[in-house]
Amino acid sequence: MTTARERILAQQNTPWKKGVRRLQGLMLDTILMLLVLLMIEFLALAFSGRRGPTGLLLTPEEILDLLSYPWLVTVAFVLATLWNLFYRPLGTSPGRATVRGVMPEEEFLPWTQTSRGWFTALLIQLTFFTGWLITEVQLLTFLTKFSKAADIVRGLMNPSADVLHQGLVLLVQTIFLAFMATAFAIPLAFALSFVAARNLTRGNWVARWSYTLARTVMNLTRAVEPLVWALIFISWVGIGPFAGVLALWVHSVAALTKLYSEQIESIDTGPVEAITATGASTLQVLRYGVVPQIIPPFLSFTIYRWDINVRMSTIIGFVGGGGIGYILKPRVDLGAWGEVGTLVILIAVTVWAMDIVSAKVRERIV
Amino acid sequence: MSGERGIVIDARGLSKVFPDGTQALDNVDLEVREGEFLAILGLSGSGKSTLLRCLNRLIEPTEGSVSIFGEDVTRARGKKLRKIRSDIAMIFQQFNLVRRHTVLINVLSGALGRSGLLSSALLRFSEYERKKAMGFLERVGLKGRESSRADALSGGQQQRVAIARALMQEARLVLADEPVASLDPALRHSIMRHIEDLNRKEGMTVVCTLHDIDLVRRYATRLVALRAGRKVWEGTAEQFDGDTFREIYGEDAEPASNTMI
Ligand SMILES: Nc1ncnc2c1ncn2[C@@H]1O[C@H](COP(=O)(O)OP(=O)(O)O)[C@@H](O)[C@H]1O
Ligand SMILES: [Mg+2]
């Protein structure tokens, strides 16, 4: 007769699940190996002195076009497969280690004594050098050519009073814009956060799927910059502060849902257990066991979000989403640095004040 | 004598394997009769908390069946399960009060199992329930503290609020999980006496996990001992002696010098 324990373990280790994990490890290794190979070839080409069709040294973009992708994919796959097959003598590969864990004898070794440690170190090194070339880092220029930017700095130090009045008016608009975006985001984020909290959505498959769906939508939404949302909403409702409100609203919903749901995930389970034990329904458990624990941190996050939205609305204004950024952009383009200086100071003072006030309020709440 | 009384808990073949492979319970049978004060003892990690939580399905048992007051707990779903739970009060080592709520709301939350959805969503309870809750608070010696925030109270006071919550629930069975383990030794008897009152005066059946052998001897009518998830001993407080002690806790344990286990 098998014990309950053996049966549960067997369920977790079906050949199918084992196979899937093996495959995941192999895929991960292939990708990592491919990255290493690509970067080695990239660096080799960059330092080979080869010249492009124009007769000049190859630019990073040209090198990226020249890399032997199909060939390296094959090699990476073969190497990864070999490493996964012979992980005993070679040491566990990073992919296998991530998905299936390491061999016991490797458990407590420092990274310098494992092959995957060295591999990771190599990967990081290569990434740094490749990054240096791809982003065209020029330390010398950075350190010696400051004089060109001095004009701007001088202008910023001598703010002009001409835009002060208009700037103040738009500053008020900015603060309200950020407030409305936050206010509209609260109810939606509040409702979504319960669905997006892992600990509340383990009950049945409907809950699990809602969780996955909510998380996916939230992450996709957050991945799109508010600037892009602004462009979308400007063509939807036209240039002006309302487009900015909508752009920040979408982004705030996603961001607040994430923060709220993380808060829900970290609540004390004791009261939840106690309320459940009285025979309360799911909604009552939420109302009595969960909500009182999350309201203060929620408030705190929300104020913080308003604060962030004030900062973001400046950038949103650049593309026509209302607020103070709207008059900042043309002055930057014209090089009217004195006026830019005034506006930047207004923004800085506001952000600074919001920061202090929100920090103080949040301190009191929690 | 217990033979004539009705069976309150009838658990058969309870096993619990956690997803990480830990076997917390291994084929445990438990029979509790009306009016008993049953103590469950065992080293920490022996599965006492898991056993209590499997009884009202705060933890889902992997195998086995539980029936309480003749109702099949293991098969119950939704409303049925909530109805069964509302008949079982629970007291915890960490009190598990809603810390930001007032003492009164914490006591009233014991009645959630029988209150309407809307009124409870608004934290609204009838005047009748309120009066009752105030009465229970007075009974556990917390008169005048009803509008304090729960976390403003000391540990002993919080546990008394939890007892008032159990009274409010009007349950017929109490599951207490180490009710005095996080309290000052001087306060232990005061809390245990309140639980004894639940048993003697209210006629509630009590199942209580305990660490302290002296407390077990003083309050329990019957004992069940767990070791590594198995039931290794069962008997009355009088039958419990040094040999049984070593049987339960292992050869190295010393009953005389080590009453706190
Ligand atoms: N949620 C859980 N996941 C995994 N293991 C658990 C969990 N809860 C308890 N355990 C384990 O189950 C065993 C019994 O725990 P518990 O019932 O809390 O013991 P006791 O209350 O007697 O101290 C312990 O080994 C504990 O580590
Ligand atoms: Mg315990």
Side-chain angles (χ1 to χ4, degrees):
Chain A
M1 208 183 95
T2 54
T3 66
R5 178 185 156 81
E6 279 160 357
R7 245 169 295 142
I8 293 266
L9 288 181
Q11 262 172 33
Q12 285 170 352
N13 273 318
T14 58
W16 162 252
K17 284 187 183 166
K18 249 185 180 162
V20 168
R21 280 211 295 277
R22 242 178 223 159
L23 212 62
Q24 283 173 338
L26 180 60
M27 297 255 291
L28 195 54
D29 279 330
T30 307
I31 292 170
L32 293 176
M33 196 60 87
L34 179 64
L35 286 174
V36 165
L37 293 174
L38 284 171
M39 290 195 284
I40 291 178
E41 194 187 12
F42 180 94
L43 290 170
L45 279 173
F47 291 111
S48 67
R50 244 173 82 178
R51 281 161 198 284
T54 51
L56 298 169
L57 283 177
L58 289 171
T59 63
E61 289 88 349
E62 284 167 343
I63 300 180
L64 284 178
D65 283 341
L66 283 175
L67 298 181
S68 16
Y69 293 98
W71 166 233
L72 290 185
V73 170
T74 320
V75 176
F77 182 70
V78 171
L79 288 177
T81 310
L82 287 175
W83 198 352
N84 274 274
L85 283 178
F86 301 107
Y87 69 92
R88 273 184 197 287
L90 292 173
T92 310
S93 65
R96 192 187 159 89
T98 309
V99 188
R100 313 190 56 192
V102 299
M103 296 182 286
E105 61 266 33
E106 284 182 304
E107 191 99 55
F108 299 108
L109 291 181
W111 70 269
T112 46
Q113 287 176 36
T114 61
S115 48
R116 64 177 201 289
W118 280 99
F119 181 84
T120 311
L122 174 70
L123 186 67
I124 294 170
Q125 292 278 319
L126 286 171
T127 310
F128 185 77
F129 289 123
T130 312
W132 187 287
L133 293 181
I134 286 190
T135 59
E136 302 173 27
V137 172
Q138 298 165 357
L139 268 191
L140 204 62
T141 321
F142 176 71
L143 293 174
T144 56
K145 299 282 176 65
F146 172 71
S147 56
K148 289 192 180 172
D151 261 3
I152 300 180
V153 175
R154 213 170 300 127
L156 295 179
M157 304 278 236
N158 295 293
S160 119
D162 295 353
V163 284
L164 189 59
H165 178 252
Q166 200 188 357
L168 279 173
V169 170
L170 284 174
L171 196 60
V172 171
Q173 191 186 60
T174 303
I175 294 171
F176 276 99
L177 189 162
F179 178 81
M180 293 310 282
T182 317
F184 284 143
I186 294 170
L188 200 55
F190 185 82
L192 278 175
S193 63
F194 287 85
V195 184
R198 205 183 163 72
N199 55 341
L200 300 183
T201 49
R202 297 298 99 185
N204 53 46
W205 65 270
V206 181
R208 281 162 206 259
W209 276 101
S210 322
Y211 167 83
T212 312
L213 185 71
R215 283 265 147 175
T216 312
V217 172
M218 187 181 84
N219 285 331
L220 288 179
T221 313
R222 252 162 25 92
V224 178
E225 281 294 311
L227 201 61
V228 178
W229 288 116
L231 292 172
I232 293 171
F233 284 116
I234 283 168
S235 56
W236 188 336
V237 302
I239 281 187
F242 187 50
V245 168
L246 290 174
L248 290 178
W249 168 69
V250 171
H251 197 257
S252 299
V253 169
L256 283 178
T257 305
K258 183 173 157 61
L259 288 175
Y260 288 177
S261 59
E262 278 167 2
Q263 194 58 42
I264 296 177
E265 283 169 3
S266 68
I267 57 168
D268 177 6
T269 52
V272 177
E273 217 180 14
I275 303 288
T276 311
T278 66
S281 66
T282 309
L283 276 176
Q284 288 172 327
V285 172
L286 289 180
R287 177 68 190 86
Y288 283 79
V290 180
V291 169
Q293 290 195 58
I294 56 178
I295 289 298
F298 274 27
L299 269 177
S300 154
F301 287 138
T302 310
I303 294 171
Y304 184 49
R305 193 68 222 170
W306 180 17
D307 187 356
I308 294 177
N309 279 344
V310 169
R311 282 173 231 202
M312 279 192 171
S313 61
T314 313
I315 310 292
I316 302 282
F318 269 47
V319 294
I324 200 164
Y326 191 47
I327 58 169
L328 185 57
K329 176 76 162 52
R331 281 160 182 80
V332 170
D333 291 343
L334 290 171
W337 300 119
E339 298 186 355
V340 171
T342 312
L343 297 174
V344 167
I345 289 170
L346 283 179
I347 294 169
V349 169
T350 311
V351 167
W352 174 71
M354 293 273 313
D355 210 40
I356 290 183
V357 172
S358 95
K360 279 267 177 289
V361 174
R362 282 184 284 139
E363 234 169 67
R364 290 299 289 269
I365 292 173
V366 183
Chain B
M1 116 203 173
S2 63
E4 304 125 36
R5 301 193 184 180
I7 294 181
V8 174
I9 301 176
D10 186 12
R12 304 229 167 255
L14 276 186
S15 291
K16 174 65 190 180
V17 182
F18 285 106
D20 65 359
T22 312
Q23 173 134 29
L25 289 180
D26 188 358
N27 200 14
V28 174
D29 293 330
L30 187 72
E31 200 180 283
V32 182
R33 290 181 178 267
E34 209 178 321
E36 276 193 296
F37 193 124
L38 178 81
I40 301 180
L41 53 164
L43 289 171
S44 86
S46 57
K48 305 182 295 292
S49 301
T50 308
L51 176 57
L52 281 194
R53 284 167 175 72
C54 279
L55 295 177
N56 62 356
R57 296 244 317 269
L58 286 182
I59 291 179
E60 206 60 54
T62 316
E63 291 204 323
S65 67
V66 178
S67 108
I68 290 184
F69 298 118
E71 306 270 8
D72 186 345
V73 181
T74 18
R75 294 249 185 81
R77 296 269 169 275
K79 238 194 168 79
K80 184 83 191 293
L81 177 60
R82 298 206 300 272
K83 175 76 190 56
I84 297 173
R85 277 178 177 161
S86 71
D87 231 358
I88 310 170
M90 205 157 180
I91 294 171
F92 303 84
Q93 176 175 359
Q94 299 302 335
F95 328 128
N96 290 359
L97 302 181
V98 180
R99 303 177 45 172
R100 293 184 156 271
H101 275 166
T102 61
V103 166
L104 186 65
I105 299 265
N106 268 290
V107 176
L108 283 165
S109 69
L112 281 175
R114 57 175 186 271
S115 70
L117 198 58
L118 185 69
S119 54
S120 65
L122 300 170
L123 299 183
R124 236 190 239 141
F125 293 86
S126 69
E127 198 49 40
Y128 172 71
E129 303 268 27
R130 267 170 199 279
K131 282 232 174 68
K132 213 152 67 176
M134 298 287 274
F136 290 137
L137 274 174
E138 189 173 347
R139 184 158 152 191
V140 297
L142 288 172
K143 192 175 182 216
R145 298 308 298 271
E146 61 273 3
S147 35
S148 307
R149 250 176 66 155
D151 56 2
L153 269 54
S154 71
Q157 291 171 327
Q158 291 195 34
Q159 196 61 300
R160 281 187 274 156
V161 175
I163 288 167
R165 177 169 68 187
L167 282 163
M168 191 70 202
Q169 197 174 327
E170 297 177 337
R172 290 186 285 162
L173 168 63
V174 180
L175 306 177
D177 190 9
E178 310 268 5
V180 295
S182 26
L183 296 178
D184 205 78
L187 296 173
R188 290 188 175 157
H189 279 291
S190 119
I191 295 296
M192 285 309 295
R193 270 197 291 272
H194 280 299
I195 296 178
E196 191 177 38
D197 278 354
L198 297 181
N199 181 240
R200 299 256 172 95
K201 291 197 186 143
E202 303 294 320
M204 298 183 188
T205 307
V206 174
V207 178
C208 182
T209 71
L210 279 174
H211 249 70
D212 189 329
I213 296 296
D214 290 340
L215 291 180
V216 172
R217 289 219 174 94
R218 160 81 178 72
Y219 295 99
T221 55
R222 199 160 64 89
L223 280 62
V224 162
L226 293 183
R227 185 172 178 180
R230 281 173 211 239
K231 189 166 82 178
V232 291
W233 193 80
E234 190 168 8
T236 61
E238 295 82 50
Q239 293 166 337
F240 186 85
D241 56 22
D243 286 340
T244 20
F245 185 91
R246 272 186 291 280
E247 189 182 326
I248 298 165
Y249 293 107
E251 290 303 322
D252 294 339
E254 266 307 321
S257 63
N258 202 7
T259 48
M260 292 277 308
I261 299 140

